Amino acid sequence: MVIADIAVVPLRPYEGEKEMYKVVDKCIEVIQNSGLKYEIGANSTTIEGEFDKVFEIIKKAHKLPFELGCERVITTVRIDEKCGGITINEKLKNHR
């Protein structure tokens, strides 16, 4: 079990934030439809699951903006992996 933060930033040809966020929302839908646990944050979305499945979803979310007409995409990913696994709830237990 791993936790991954993903932030997809679609660039060009979007003229403004409204158009860009429509693409970001579609990327979030990919995560929501994955069946994995996730939490949407202000700057990224955290995904929890088995390593291969998480990376499959990261790839889909990164590639989707190109399918929607975007010319360039910057995706930032941060992975937290622990022997025996880690969960979002475990990591945040002292803050909830």
Side-chain angles (χ1 to χ4, degrees):
M1 186 80 65
V2 300
I3 296 172
D5 284 335
I6 178 173
V8 178
V9 182
L11 303 174
R12 289 193 311 250
Y14 303 110
E15 295 179 14
E17 284 186 24
K18 184 177 180 181
E19 292 174 4
M20 181 191 70
Y21 280 119
K22 287 180 183 178
V23 175
V24 171
D25 289 343
K26 293 289 186 185
C27 293
I28 291 171
E29 283 181 26
V30 167
I31 296 166
Q32 290 172 323
N33 294 331
S34 71
L36 298 178
K37 182 173 182 174
Y38 67 92
E39 290 190 11
I40 299 169
N43 293 315
S44 65
T45 299
T46 303
I47 309 168
E48 173 187 304
E50 295 304 322
F51 186 92
D52 289 338
K53 183 67 174 172
V54 169
F55 274 83
E56 177 186 322
I57 298 307
I58 290 169
K59 180 179 177 180
K60 285 181 182 178
H62 173 77
K63 293 293 189 180
L64 181 60
F66 294 108
E67 296 172 20
L68 299 174
C70 191
E71 295 174 6
R72 185 174 179 190
V73 178
I74 297 174
T75 298
T76 304
V77 178
R78 185 171 48 180
I79 306 295
D80 187 352
E81 185 174 16
K82 177 179 161 184
C83 288
I86 189 165
T87 65
I88 295 170
N89 287 336
E90 177 185 349
K91 189 157 186 180
L92 295 176
K93 68 183 175 190
N94 293 330
H95 304 285
R96 291 192 169 170

